């Protein structure tokens, strides 16, 4: 028998592979953080001697969710300015709050609150776009997760810098600190076409190519944005970004509502990825991303929650269900974004968009053991004809029981193993009191 670190057995394993398999009564063998085998339970018991054997019974194992867009520290602002349209929300509430309150400590504490929530929702990897990415990195590493940290660049002063050049220079320092890190990637995060002029965008393009990193940007978030850019520049935002040379397989376009045929053609031609944030878009009445049409054209569409200030949660199970249903309504096609494709959007597609698909995003031999377990044994999950369908259409985040990253258990029967839940709650309350008092 081969000695390994961990053997996890469950009723179902959903690898998220080209065969679109659902394996029943199988086990995952893990050694030194890597999946070394996926095989029937009986065969696993014969072939492997594990230091830790875990039998999860009627649960399903899936790849850990990859949340491809958010602003983790804004969990501190959850519920602060609801029921407003995007520009009012941004200009009258979010930007002023950030200018007054955002610093290293808020970002560290807000990100820790977000990582705890994401782990308890089954997310193992996320992409963040916020100030003080070095503070975010501190919280990510404490939690044991993976993260792509996109430092923002914007034309006006912020708490993190006097303008775009200082934003870029500060970000490059963080990028150098985490170059080659297994759990942290640092990318460029210019805010949006309407807040970034050409000169910093051209500098970002050159630096991204020099350092071999990606660019994530809010693009075509609303029709108002597109109309404003047409009036101001005489050009649709996506075409402007294409003409500047930013669109490429290393470009991650967030939101992508209000798309014309020309816009879709530009995305297809350049190989850019699309980060779909359906619940945030719905709450802010921002519009609808044509997911079905993009996927039919071969565009890689991944899933994100956006920040807790505009969602208001970081729940990828809920986001996945909304995405699947919305795709059907927007396209008028009940076959659009099937349950299996929805799980793929929330896992492997996200890993591909972040450039991590060789390591994570699916449960395959040789990949890192980033795994989420979902309980399907209670009344609300009965009867089960198809566990994939149940996960997408009938499961909630409180059914997430266990989470592993690199084979290390970060959630054990709903309890966080690397973070102190009570301390995080108390810290969040202290920030609320401080903000309310002004």
């Amino acid at each position: 028998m081969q000695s390994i670190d961990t053997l996890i057995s469950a009723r179902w394993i959903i690898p998220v592979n080209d065969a679109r398999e659902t394996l029943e009564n199988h086990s995952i063998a893990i050694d030194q953080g890597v999946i070394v085998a996926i095989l029937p339970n009986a065969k696993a018991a014969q072939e492997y001697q594990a230091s830790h054997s875990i039998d999860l019974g009627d649960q399903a194992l899936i790849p850990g969710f990859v949340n491809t867009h958010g602003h983790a520290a804004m969990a501190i602002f959850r519920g602060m300015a609801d029921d407003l349209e995007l520009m009012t929300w941004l200009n009258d509430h979010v930007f002023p709050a950030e200018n007054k309150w955002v610093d290293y400590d808020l970002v560290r504490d807000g990100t820790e609150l977000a990582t705890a929530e994401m782990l308890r929702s089954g997310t193992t990897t996320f992409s963040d776009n916020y100030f003080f990415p070095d503070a975010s990195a501190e919280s990510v590493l404490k939690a044991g997760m993976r993260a792509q940290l996109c430092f923002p660049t914007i034309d006006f002063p912020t708490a993190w810098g006097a303008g775009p050049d200082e934003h870029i220079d500060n970000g490059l320092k963080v990028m150098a600190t985490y170059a080659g890190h297994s759990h942290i990637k640092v990318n460029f995060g210019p805010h949006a076409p309407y807040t970034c002029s050409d000169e910093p965008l051209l500098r970002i393009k050159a630096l991204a190519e020099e350092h071999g990193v990606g660019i994530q940007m809010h693009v075509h978030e609303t029709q108002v944005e597109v109309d404003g850019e047409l009036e101001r520049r005489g050009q649709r935002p996506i075409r402007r970004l294409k003409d500047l040379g930013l669109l490429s397989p290393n470009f991650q376009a967030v939101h992508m509502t209000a798309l014309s045929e020309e816009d879709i053609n530009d995305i297809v031609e350049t190989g850019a990825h699309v980060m779909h944030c359906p619940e945030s878009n719905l709450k802010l009445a921002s519009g609808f991303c044509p997911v079905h049409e993009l996927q039919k054209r071969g565009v890689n569409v991944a899933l994100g929650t956006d920040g807790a200030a505009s969602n208001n949660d970081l729940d990828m199970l809920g986001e996945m269900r909304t995405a699947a249903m919305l795709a059907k309504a927007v396209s008028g096609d009940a076959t659009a974004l099937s349950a299996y494709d929805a799980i793929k959007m929330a896992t492997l597609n996200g890993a591909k968009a972040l450039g991590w698909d060789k390591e994570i995003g699916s449960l395959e031999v040789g990949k890192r053991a980033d795994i989420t377990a979902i309980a399907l044994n209670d009344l609300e999950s009965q009867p089960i004809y198809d566990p994939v369908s149940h996960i997408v259409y009938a499961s909630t985040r409180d059914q997430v029981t266990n989470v592993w990253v690199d084979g290390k258990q970060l959630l054990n029967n709903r309890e966080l193993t690397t973070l102190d839940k009570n301390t995080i709650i108390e810290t969040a309350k202290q920030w609320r009191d401080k903000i309310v008092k002004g």
Side-chain angles (χ1 to χ4, degrees), residues 145-411:
M145 299 173 72
R146 299 183 203 277
Q148 171 187 269
L149 304 178
C150 304
F151 59 86
T153 302
I154 199 163
D155 280 349
F156 49 79
T158 70
W160 198 50
D165 283 333
E166 190 171 351
H167 297 155
I168 293 170
D169 292 342
N170 288 341
L172 289 172
K173 295 173 186 176
V174 182
M175 186 179 293
T177 299
Y178 291 98
H181 199 283
S182 61
H183 281 216
I184 300 286
K185 290 187 177 190
V186 181
N187 283 9
F188 292 92
H191 175 256
Y194 59 90
T195 54
C196 293
S197 51
D198 286 357
E199 187 176 351
L201 288 178
L202 289 171
R203 186 183 176 202
I204 286 169
K205 171 186 177 292
L207 286 168
E209 291 174 352
E210 177 186 338
H211 291 277
V213 301
I215 301 170
Q216 183 175 111
M217 190 177 196
H218 305 89
V219 184
H220 282 234
E221 190 167 359
T222 67
Q223 186 64 54
V224 171
E225 170 198 334
V226 176
D227 292 343
E229 288 295 278
L230 279 168
E231 182 177 346
R232 184 163 66 137
R233 301 178 186 275
Q235 196 174 32
R236 297 180 70 81
I238 287 174
R239 178 54 59 90
R240 173 182 166 225
L241 295 175
K242 181 184 178 185
D243 289 348
L244 289 172
L246 268 75
L247 298 189
S248 77
N250 291 321
F251 189 85
Q252 304 163 15
V254 181
H255 296 304
M256 296 292 280
T257 73
L259 298 184
S260 68
E261 185 66 22
E262 173 188 285
D263 300 328
I264 295 175
N265 288 339
D266 286 344
I267 293 298
V268 172
E269 180 183 328
T270 57
H273 307 271
V274 170
M275 274 59 170
H276 179 37
C277 303
E279 292 190 357
S280 177
N281 289 344
L282 285 169
K283 183 166 178 281
L284 292 168
S286 297
F288 307 110
C289 177
V291 169
H292 189 48
E293 180 62 27
L294 290 168
Q295 291 189 317
K296 285 195 299 182
R297 298 288 302 277
V299 176
N300 181 51
V301 183
L303 193 64
T305 59
D306 210 344
S310 66
N311 185 305
N312 290 11
D313 60 39
L314 307 176
D315 175 11
M316 286 288 282
L317 271 165
E319 205 76 35
M320 190 166 53
R321 182 179 183 182
T322 300
M325 292 185 174
L326 192 60
K328 301 173 194 313
V330 169
S331 65
D333 183 349
T335 68
L337 196 58
S338 69
Y340 205 100
D341 287 333
I343 291 182
K344 185 179 179 185
M345 179 188 285
T347 56
L348 186 57
N349 288 10
K352 181 179 179 182
L354 303 188
W356 251 323
D357 52 310
K358 296 293 190 292
E359 292 84 16
I360 62 169
S362 59
L363 302 180
E364 299 180 67
V365 173
K367 284 196 171 185
R368 308 303 299 183
D370 290 14
I371 305 168
T372 289
I374 300 173
L376 298 176
N377 56 351
D378 217 332
L379 180 147
E380 291 80 5
S381 297
Q382 307 309 314
I384 296 177
Y385 300 101
D386 178 1
V388 174
S389 174
H390 269 65
I391 289 170
V392 174
Y393 295 121
S395 295
T396 58
R397 61 179 171 178
D398 57 358
Q399 291 171 242
V400 173
T401 60
N402 299 275
V403 170
W404 294 264
V405 171
D406 277 340
K408 179 180 179 181
Q409 194 162 14
L410 306 185
L411 187 73

Side-chain angles (χ1 to χ4, degrees), residues 4-13 25-31 34-42 44-45 48 50-57 59-62 363 369-374 401-411:
I4 58 172
D5 295 329
T6 307
L7 187 68
I8 309 171
S9 304
R11 175 70 181 276
W12 298 280
I13 295 176
N25 296 315
H26 272 58
S27 300
I28 299 179
I30 303 165
D31 197 51
V34 175
I35 297 173
V36 296
I38 301 176
L39 67 176
N41 291 343
Y48 292 100
S51 299
H52 302 282
S53 293
I54 304 166
D55 186 350
L56 294 177
Q59 297 194 35
L61 298 176
I62 65 171
L363 302 180
D370 290 14
I371 305 168
T372 289
I374 300 173
T401 60
N402 299 275
V403 170
W404 294 264
V405 171
D406 277 340
K408 179 180 179 181
Q409 194 162 14
L410 306 185
L411 187 73

Side-chain angles (χ1 to χ4, degrees), residues 13-34:
I13 295 176
I14 301 162
V16 186
N17 55 23
D18 291 339
R20 304 170 72 87
E21 292 177 303
T22 298
L23 305 174
E24 194 161 356
N25 296 315
H26 272 58
S27 300
I28 299 179
I30 303 165
D31 197 51
Q32 297 184 2
V34 175

